[in-house]
Amino acid sequence: MASGGGGAPERRYELVVFGASGFTGQFVVEEVARVAAGGELHGGLRWAVAGRRREKLQAVMERAAERLGKPALGAEVGVLLCDVGDAASLAAMAKQTRLVLNCVGPYRFFGEPVVQACVENGASCIDISGEPQFLESMYMKYNKAAAEKGVYIIGSCGFDTIPADMGVLFTRDKLKGTLTAVESFLTVKSGPEGSCVHDGTWKSAVYGLADQDNLRKLRKQIGYTPVPVVGAKLKARGFVFYNQEFKQYSIRFLGSDASVVKRSQRYLHTELKETPVQYGAYMNIGGFGSVIKLMFAGLLFLLLVKFSFTRKLLTKYPEFFSAGHFTKKGPTQKQMDRTSFTMTFFGEGYSEGQDPQHGKPNLKICTEVKGPEPGYVATPIAMVQAAVCLLEDAAALPKQGGVYSPGAAFSKTNLIDRLNKQGVEFSVISKPEV
């Protein structure tokens, strides 16, 4: 493999998993080990795990080996001791690798030192943040420096937001004409044991909702160019509505999907002169009973995040306040094995030769992205395949380094093909004609 940055000396590792012994990090380690053993990469993979405690890192490597049915992950996997509060240790890690997979969240508290160390020391970095404020402030602060260093900082490379961001691009590429608008609907299915999420995600949500005003200020500061509306304007739906397609209730999806897709579309429009696609993100929640429960929980949550004292309670007792949906232990293996997601995309556009600036859309398309449990199975797959793309499809990445969303970074790479092979599957459901 070529080394990063022109005639730079070869780095010791191609990638390092930072936060390898954290709840999500352990699954990312397992996925990297699987890919390294699978021989998809030219010339093998030199990689390392990084974190604060050697014993914990060893334990994670042993668990990964056991799950892959191997006696051990060989001596070829390095171990780096490194703490997010110790800038020198982060710099030492970044100097040794071409790419850091950062699994240490909430990113609003712990993300920036890692980005800074990577940019300053010429390493690329990807994370799995679903926190728009972190993602967009990194763009504002580091885009220019990353471009000068020729490194790629790519946020939200997990379930937030690769299925949505790449799903919109997939839908666009499959429509024979010009795609102008897409809505996506997420359905999560779980087995009799239900599903649950580790409390790291809960914390990110608590602090994210508490900080909405600062996100608005940040966007003003960045001064984004508005993305032009091409084709019929996509109507925003109410917060809760009955969905005829699925015969159940849906709500607006509160994750980072819509904000990340918008950044990708802005980049593809301004830099590559592609037609921007309007996007709305929704989630199916079930029958009327689910709506009542959700409204009650949502109002309580919005009230409690407003005050620092109640925010502390929310983060201290996630299980109590989320009725068991978020726990400090995270999901059991059984819960993960029986959970899956489907994201369905309904797109509309104009057939070849039709001017999208005039008249109504005359083409529709339906596509979907299906995958395993979103948080700890699909997320590591998405993150590791994004890493493989960064290392292997370098010629297809944007010409210049910088801070990118997944759609902007990977639109010309083989990421969708790679994901399809790993069980996060993109497919066309229906292509009605004009």
Side-chain angles (χ1 to χ4, degrees), residues 163-168 171 182-185 279 343-347 365-369 426:
D165 208 4
M166 299 312 289
V168 170
T171 308
V182 178
E183 291 181 316
S184 71
F185 292 86
Y279 175 64
M343 201 178 257
T344 309
F345 297 81
F346 297 99
I365 184 171
C366 174
T367 62
E368 81 180 10
V369 181
F426 291 68

Short mmCIF file of all heavy atoms in Angstrom, two decimals, residues 163-168 171 182-185 279 343-347 365-369 426:
data_model
loop_
_atom_site.label_atom_id
_atom_site.label_comp_id
_atom_site.label_asym_id
_atom_site.label_seq_id
_atom_site.Cartn_x
_atom_site.Cartn_y
_atom_site.Cartn_z
N PRO A 163 -26.07 4.48 6.00
CA PRO A 163 -27.23 3.99 5.23
C PRO A 163 -28.02 5.12 4.58
O PRO A 163 -28.41 5.02 3.42
CB PRO A 163 -28.05 3.24 6.29
CG PRO A 163 -27.04 2.81 7.31
CD PRO A 163 -26.05 3.93 7.37
N ALA A 164 -28.24 6.22 5.32
CA ALA A 164 -29.03 7.34 4.77
C ALA A 164 -28.25 8.07 3.68
O ALA A 164 -28.77 8.29 2.57
CB ALA A 164 -29.40 8.31 5.88
N ASP A 165 -27.03 8.44 3.97
CA ASP A 165 -26.24 9.27 3.05
C ASP A 165 -25.93 8.52 1.75
O ASP A 165 -26.12 9.03 0.64
CB ASP A 165 -24.95 9.71 3.75
CG ASP A 165 -24.43 11.05 3.23
OD1 ASP A 165 -25.11 11.67 2.39
OD2 ASP A 165 -23.35 11.46 3.67
N MET A 166 -25.47 7.27 1.90
CA MET A 166 -25.16 6.48 0.70
C MET A 166 -26.45 5.98 0.03
O MET A 166 -26.48 5.78 -1.17
CB MET A 166 -24.25 5.29 1.06
CG MET A 166 -22.89 5.67 1.65
SD MET A 166 -21.96 6.95 0.76
CE MET A 166 -21.47 6.05 -0.72
N GLY A 167 -27.51 5.79 0.85
CA GLY A 167 -28.80 5.36 0.31
C GLY A 167 -29.38 6.40 -0.65
O GLY A 167 -29.94 6.05 -1.70
N VAL A 168 -29.24 7.67 -0.31
CA VAL A 168 -29.71 8.74 -1.21
C VAL A 168 -28.91 8.70 -2.52
O VAL A 168 -29.47 8.82 -3.62
CB VAL A 168 -29.60 10.13 -0.52
CG1 VAL A 168 -29.86 11.26 -1.52
CG2 VAL A 168 -30.59 10.22 0.65
N THR A 171 -29.99 5.72 -4.62
CA THR A 171 -31.29 5.98 -5.24
C THR A 171 -31.10 6.89 -6.45
O THR A 171 -31.66 6.64 -7.53
CB THR A 171 -32.24 6.63 -4.21
OG1 THR A 171 -32.25 5.82 -3.02
CG2 THR A 171 -33.66 6.76 -4.75
N VAL A 182 -36.13 12.85 -1.98
CA VAL A 182 -36.21 11.51 -1.39
C VAL A 182 -36.69 11.63 0.05
O VAL A 182 -36.29 12.53 0.78
CB VAL A 182 -34.80 10.84 -1.31
CG1 VAL A 182 -34.90 9.47 -0.64
CG2 VAL A 182 -34.20 10.66 -2.67
N GLU A 183 -37.55 10.69 0.45
CA GLU A 183 -37.87 10.54 1.87
C GLU A 183 -37.45 9.13 2.27
O GLU A 183 -37.64 8.20 1.50
CB GLU A 183 -39.37 10.70 2.10
CG GLU A 183 -39.87 12.10 1.89
CD GLU A 183 -41.35 12.23 2.16
OE1 GLU A 183 -42.13 11.35 1.71
OE2 GLU A 183 -41.74 13.20 2.82
N SER A 184 -36.87 9.01 3.47
CA SER A 184 -36.52 7.67 3.94
C SER A 184 -37.30 7.35 5.21
O SER A 184 -37.60 8.24 6.01
CB SER A 184 -35.01 7.56 4.22
OG SER A 184 -34.67 8.31 5.36
N PHE A 185 -37.65 6.05 5.34
CA PHE A 185 -38.39 5.57 6.50
C PHE A 185 -37.62 4.42 7.11
O PHE A 185 -37.37 3.42 6.45
CB PHE A 185 -39.79 5.12 6.09
CG PHE A 185 -40.65 6.27 5.66
CD1 PHE A 185 -40.62 6.73 4.35
CD2 PHE A 185 -41.44 6.94 6.59
CE1 PHE A 185 -41.38 7.82 3.96
CE2 PHE A 185 -42.20 8.03 6.20
CZ PHE A 185 -42.18 8.48 4.88
N TYR A 279 -34.23 16.13 0.94
CA TYR A 279 -34.32 14.89 1.72
C TYR A 279 -35.09 15.09 3.02
O TYR A 279 -34.92 16.09 3.71
CB TYR A 279 -32.89 14.42 2.04
CG TYR A 279 -32.80 13.21 2.94
CD1 TYR A 279 -33.31 11.97 2.54
CD2 TYR A 279 -32.21 13.30 4.20
CE1 TYR A 279 -33.22 10.86 3.37
CE2 TYR A 279 -32.11 12.19 5.04
CZ TYR A 279 -32.63 10.98 4.62
OH TYR A 279 -32.54 9.87 5.44
N MET A 343 -34.22 0.50 5.87
CA MET A 343 -34.45 1.90 5.56
C MET A 343 -34.98 1.94 4.14
O MET A 343 -34.31 1.49 3.21
CB MET A 343 -33.15 2.68 5.70
CG MET A 343 -33.34 4.16 5.90
SD MET A 343 -31.75 4.99 6.11
CE MET A 343 -31.71 5.25 7.86
N THR A 344 -36.22 2.43 3.98
CA THR A 344 -36.87 2.45 2.67
C THR A 344 -36.85 3.87 2.14
O THR A 344 -37.20 4.81 2.86
CB THR A 344 -38.32 1.95 2.80
OG1 THR A 344 -38.30 0.70 3.52
CG2 THR A 344 -38.95 1.73 1.44
N PHE A 345 -36.43 4.01 0.88
CA PHE A 345 -36.31 5.34 0.26
C PHE A 345 -37.34 5.48 -0.85
O PHE A 345 -37.39 4.64 -1.76
CB PHE A 345 -34.92 5.52 -0.35
CG PHE A 345 -33.79 5.48 0.65
CD1 PHE A 345 -33.30 4.27 1.12
CD2 PHE A 345 -33.23 6.65 1.14
CE1 PHE A 345 -32.27 4.22 2.05
CE2 PHE A 345 -32.20 6.61 2.08
CZ PHE A 345 -31.72 5.40 2.52
N PHE A 346 -38.15 6.54 -0.76
CA PHE A 346 -39.08 6.86 -1.85
C PHE A 346 -38.55 8.11 -2.54
O PHE A 346 -38.50 9.18 -1.93
CB PHE A 346 -40.49 7.12 -1.29
CG PHE A 346 -41.09 5.92 -0.60
CD1 PHE A 346 -41.07 5.80 0.79
CD2 PHE A 346 -41.66 4.90 -1.35
CE1 PHE A 346 -41.61 4.69 1.42
CE2 PHE A 346 -42.20 3.77 -0.73
CZ PHE A 346 -42.18 3.67 0.66
N GLY A 347 -38.17 7.93 -3.79
CA GLY A 347 -37.59 9.05 -4.53
C GLY A 347 -38.49 9.50 -5.65
O GLY A 347 -39.27 8.70 -6.18
N ILE A 365 -39.21 6.19 -7.67
CA ILE A 365 -38.38 5.00 -7.47
C ILE A 365 -38.43 4.64 -5.98
O ILE A 365 -38.58 5.53 -5.14
CB ILE A 365 -36.91 5.25 -7.92
CG1 ILE A 365 -36.06 3.96 -7.79
CG2 ILE A 365 -36.28 6.40 -7.13
CD1 ILE A 365 -34.68 4.07 -8.42
N CYS A 366 -38.35 3.35 -5.68
CA CYS A 366 -38.28 2.93 -4.28
C CYS A 366 -37.07 2.01 -4.12
O CYS A 366 -36.91 1.05 -4.88
CB CYS A 366 -39.57 2.20 -3.89
SG CYS A 366 -39.48 1.50 -2.24
N THR A 367 -36.21 2.33 -3.16
CA THR A 367 -35.02 1.51 -2.90
C THR A 367 -34.99 1.21 -1.40
O THR A 367 -35.73 1.81 -0.63
CB THR A 367 -33.72 2.27 -3.26
OG1 THR A 367 -33.64 3.43 -2.43
CG2 THR A 367 -33.70 2.68 -4.72
N GLU A 368 -34.10 0.29 -1.02
CA GLU A 368 -33.97 0.09 0.43
C GLU A 368 -32.55 -0.32 0.80
O GLU A 368 -31.80 -0.85 -0.01
CB GLU A 368 -35.02 -0.88 0.97
CG GLU A 368 -34.76 -2.31 0.81
CD GLU A 368 -35.88 -3.22 1.37
OE1 GLU A 368 -36.97 -2.76 1.74
OE2 GLU A 368 -35.62 -4.43 1.41
N VAL A 369 -32.23 -0.04 2.05
CA VAL A 369 -30.98 -0.51 2.65
C VAL A 369 -31.40 -1.36 3.83
O VAL A 369 -32.16 -0.91 4.69
CB VAL A 369 -30.10 0.66 3.15
CG1 VAL A 369 -28.80 0.11 3.73
CG2 VAL A 369 -29.79 1.63 2.01
N PHE A 426 -27.95 -2.83 -0.29
CA PHE A 426 -28.66 -1.78 -1.00
C PHE A 426 -29.38 -2.43 -2.19
O PHE A 426 -28.75 -3.16 -2.95
CB PHE A 426 -27.66 -0.76 -1.56
CG PHE A 426 -26.98 0.08 -0.50
CD1 PHE A 426 -26.07 -0.49 0.40
CD2 PHE A 426 -27.22 1.45 -0.40
CE1 PHE A 426 -25.43 0.28 1.37
CE2 PHE A 426 -26.58 2.22 0.56
CZ PHE A 426 -25.69 1.64 1.45
#
